[in-house]
């Protein structure tokens, strides 16, 4: 069974950080000081579990530009099993419950390989592609 939910305790948050460590730092060689930032405390964090095992993580936060979705990570053994879609739906559902986000732009900086996932949720490319941590990205807006 696949389930994604808002993180509400430190132990679960640490599981999400471990997933981000595995995917971004270990696998994609993102520097840890780039991966973990000043927004960790002010973001809403999510975790996905597949048959109870932590397998994906994401977060979102409010910015001056709107609602920014970030740090979508799925562990390699769980890719292609709907984890990214499950996380995205949980995040979008949660954003919709926060009155301050009503009518605000929802956007993200997608790794190019993840663009098809975000397109399924009506995100459209905006602007030029760019490099972030030596990985090509594209801003996408819903």
């Amino acid at each position: 069974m696949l389930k994604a939910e808002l993180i509400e305790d430190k132990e679960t948050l640490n599981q999400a950080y471990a997933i981000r460590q595995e995917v971004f730092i270990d696998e994609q060689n993102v520097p840890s000081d780039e991966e973990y930032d000043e927004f960790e405390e002010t973001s809403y964090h999510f975790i996905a579990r597949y048959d109870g095992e932590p397998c994906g993580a994401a977060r979102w936060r409010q910015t001056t530009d709107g609602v920014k979705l970030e740090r979508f990570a799925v562990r390699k053994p769980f890719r292609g099993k709907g984890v990214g879609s499950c996380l995205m739906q949980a995040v979008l559902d949660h954003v919709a419950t926060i009155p301050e986000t009503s009518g605000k732009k929802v956007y993200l900086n997608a790794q190019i390989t993840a663009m098809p996932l975000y397109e399924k949720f009506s995100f459209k490319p905006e602007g030029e592609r760019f490099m972030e941590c030596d990985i090509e990205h594209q801003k996408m807006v819903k």
Side-chain angles (χ1 to χ4, degrees):
M1 183 171 131
L2 179 58
K3 182 180 179 189
E5 60 193 4
L6 177 66
I7 295 173
E8 300 190 51
D9 64 87
K10 190 70 173 166
E11 181 183 338
T12 308
L13 183 60
N14 287 335
Q15 292 173 345
Y17 287 158
I19 292 167
R20 288 170 49 189
Q21 167 82 33
E22 180 179 328
V23 173
F24 294 127
I25 297 170
D26 299 342
E27 184 183 331
Q28 297 182 348
N29 298 313
V30 171
S32 61
D33 62 333
E34 295 280 335
E35 175 54 29
Y36 302 107
D37 61 21
E38 68 271 25
F39 304 113
E40 300 299 344
E41 299 290 323
T42 55
S43 297
Y44 293 95
H45 295 266
F46 288 77
I47 193 160
R49 297 181 191 283
Y50 195 95
D51 290 337
E53 186 173 349
C55 61
R59 75 177 194 192
W60 75 268
R61 62 187 173 93
Q62 293 190 63
T63 70
T64 54
D65 293 330
V67 174
K68 188 174 186 190
L69 313 187
E70 303 176 304
R71 306 303 199 269
F72 279 78
V74 176
R75 294 175 57 215
K76 204 176 254 186
F78 297 94
R79 293 181 192 155
K81 299 179 185 290
V83 176
S85 292
C86 183
L87 273 168
M88 178 58 78
Q89 192 62 62
V91 168
L92 291 173
D93 289 350
H94 185 257
V95 168
T97 69
I98 308 296
E100 298 82 35
T101 65
S102 182
K104 291 197 175 170
K105 173 171 73 173
V106 178
Y107 69 102
L108 51 82
N109 292 334
Q111 291 187 12
I112 301 307
T113 55
M115 286 178 65
L117 166 67
Y118 304 128
E119 287 168 344
K120 283 192 235 175
F121 288 89
S122 303
F123 284 86
K124 304 279 185 242
E126 183 179 276
E128 299 294 317
R129 290 183 177 186
F130 59 95
M131 297 300 286
E132 192 170 84
C133 299
D134 291 328
I135 301 168
E136 192 175 19
H137 283 73
Q138 171 70 55
K139 181 177 182 179
M140 298 185 80
V141 178
K142 188 170 176 56

